[in-house]
Amino acid sequence: MSKYWSPIVSRLTPYTPGEQPKLSKLVKLNTNENPYGPSPLALAAIAREVGDSLRLYPNPDAEPLKLAIAEYHAQHGITPAHVFVGNGSDEVLAHAFQALLQHDAPILFPDITYSFYPTYCSLYQVAYRTIPLAADFTLRVDDYLTAGANGGIIFPNPNAPTGCLLPLAEVERLAAAQPDSVVIVDEAYVDFGGDSAIPLVARYPNLLVVQTLSKSRSLAGLRVGFAIGQPDLITALERVKNSFNSYPLDRMAIVGATASIQDQAHFEQTRQAVIASRNTLVAGLQALGFEVLPSAANFVFARHPRHDAAQLAATLRSDGIIVRHFSSERIAQFLRITVGTDAACHTLLDALRIHLQ
Ligand SMILES: *Cc1c(COP(=O)(O)O)cnc(C)c1O
């Protein structure tokens, strides 16, 4: 604390990202990065952009990227006016909290969810109420419908850190029943096994769908995310963005993300590889006695009935394998394990096999 700080700064509880270790020999299964590299077409586009053009500011609206995203979803009536892009979906979400969720009534999100949501609430002074997930960690739409007045609803689908998927029909039921609230669906992991709500955007003016290139497109280091919604919602995000930073996406990010969206073959191949490794990992964990929640993401959430999760995480760390452990009460006995390559998954399973004996 310092007398120089603005009053709000001392009240913030900043988000703690997963560890990015300096040692490169570690098996890193803690931050849901994609083990397969980005599209080679994206890397080539980025390399071509490195040169004298960096003298010049980038396109402030990242127009080529908005066009590519709109084209990708054109069959659902999406145009560039339905697309907002930002420096990672974390920035898109932050702008959405300020632009669309700052109202008198509290916003609603699950008790177990992406821990950045309460952080944005403290930054933008948005009141919130958490709605407990069911005992099996699924989200019950009815609990949101009976919760009383709200200033908006946000949840990841699949949820983080559980990996559990809410069926699209349930997302639609929520958006349809709450026409006066903005419903934000954070689809960071949807490409690994869910149905996106983007096809619903044309019918629901209150629905905003947020996606990222960090997970399924393996570009966490480039920092690109986007939102899709009807133009009224997008305009609100643009107004905040243009009051904050006119150029959130640099030249490399714009061309790299555009090429990545256009490389359907690489996307399909790597996404299917992650899904296949997830199945191997789940079966291996179950064989060792773990309970694994059904995952539609590129990570699994698992607990062992006889072994403490914090202790397991520490033991794995000493073997050079990092997984994520959260200490909040309901999930303190779970480990969140990113789906790595088959080889990384087997390294993890081999280590667990020795320690669980
Ligand atoms: C990873 C993640 C994000 C943020 O991704 P960016 O790298 O900022 O695009 C957003 N929401 C959830 C639920 C995530 O897990």
Side-chain angles (χ1 to χ4, degrees):
M1 214 175 324
S2 154
K3 67 177 177 183
Y4 302 118
W5 289 10
S6 303
I8 191 172
V9 173
S10 50
R11 291 199 302 268
L12 295 176
T13 314
Y15 175 77
T16 315
E19 178 189 3
Q20 292 293 346
K22 306 282 177 297
L23 296 167
S24 57
K25 278 204 348 241
L26 293 175
V27 177
K28 193 174 174 307
L29 303 176
N30 67 329
T31 53
N32 300 341
E33 284 137 337
N34 193 318
Y36 305 105
S39 155
L41 301 180
L43 297 180
I46 292 166
R48 279 196 303 275
E49 194 66 25
V50 175
D52 185 61
S53 69
L54 292 182
R55 228 167 30 81
L56 304 171
Y57 282 106
N59 182 319
D61 295 316
E63 271 159 326
L65 177 57
K66 285 187 179 179
L67 256 172
I69 293 169
E71 249 163 54
Y72 191 84
H73 297 288
Q75 74 271 33
H76 306 301
I78 304 304
T79 71
H82 294 82
V83 182
F84 178 80
V85 297
N87 189 262
S89 61
D90 285 338
E91 186 183 81
V92 175
L93 290 166
H95 289 338
F97 271 74
Q98 192 170 35
L100 301 169
L101 297 181
Q102 215 174 35
H103 303 292
D104 290 336
I107 67 164
L108 309 178
F109 51 78
D111 61 336
I112 296 163
T113 196
Y114 190 35
S115 52
F116 231 132
Y117 300 160
T119 298
Y120 295 135
C121 286
S122 74
L123 178 60
Y124 295 118
Q125 302 184 283
V126 173
Y128 67 91
R129 266 185 63 196
T130 59
I131 306 290
L133 296 175
D136 65 356
F137 297 100
T138 54
L139 186 154
R140 286 178 302 216
V141 163
D142 287 331
D143 293 351
Y144 289 75
L145 303 187
T146 55
N150 67 73
I153 296 170
I154 182 167
F155 59 94
N157 197 34
N159 197 9
T162 63
C164 298
L165 183 72
L166 184 68
L168 189 57
E170 287 292 281
V171 177
E172 177 160 17
R173 192 160 73 87
L174 183 63
Q178 300 276 310
D180 296 329
S181 297
V182 173
V183 175
I184 301 181
V185 189
D186 177 356
E187 294 188 338
Y189 302 103
V190 78
D191 293 327
F192 299 108
D195 289 320
S196 173
I198 290 171
L200 302 179
V201 160
R203 265 177 288 145
Y204 297 97
N206 58 328
L207 180 65
L208 187 78
V209 181
V210 178
Q211 292 194 357
T212 175
L213 277 72
S214 297
K215 296 2 188 296
S216 59
R217 303 221 175 235
S218 198
L219 284 169
L222 199 65
R223 312 304 305 129
V224 182
F226 60 92
I228 294 189
Q230 290 197 10
D232 271 353
L233 300 186
I234 300 304
T235 301
L237 295 171
E238 297 288 358
R239 288 173 70 93
V240 168
K241 172 251 177 193
N242 288 320
S243 307
F244 178 79
N245 179 1
S246 309
Y247 307 104
L249 268 66
D250 61 53
R251 286 177 168 273
M252 283 85 74
I254 293 171
V255 296
T258 303
S260 171
I261 296 286
Q262 291 168 339
D263 190 349
Q264 186 65 14
H266 181 83
F267 170 71
E268 272 304 328
Q269 189 196 336
T270 51
R271 165 176 102 94
Q272 294 304 339
V274 170
I275 292 170
S277 297
R278 180 179 70 211
N279 296 336
T280 314
L281 178 62
V282 170
L285 289 169
Q286 286 171 336
L288 292 171
F290 280 90
E291 176 199 349
V292 188
L293 299 189
S295 170
N298 69 337
F299 58 85
V300 301
F301 207 47
R303 71 176 152 196
H304 199 284
R306 292 182 305 280
H307 293 270
D308 180 68
Q311 222 156 13
L312 274 180
T315 308
L316 288 170
R317 185 75 173 74
S318 61
D319 291 339
I321 302 169
I322 355 182
V323 299
R324 190 97 194 250
H325 174 255
F326 299 92
S327 47
S328 71
E329 196 191 321
R330 264 186 95 182
I331 55 172
Q333 284 313 320
F334 281 87
L335 295 176
R336 192 195 69 186
I337 306 168
T338 302
V339 178
T341 58
D342 266 346
C345 293
H346 280 116
T347 303
L348 170 85
L349 292 169
D350 290 344
L352 285 171
R353 199 168 296 119
I354 291 165
H355 295 306
L356 295 182
Q357 270 169 6

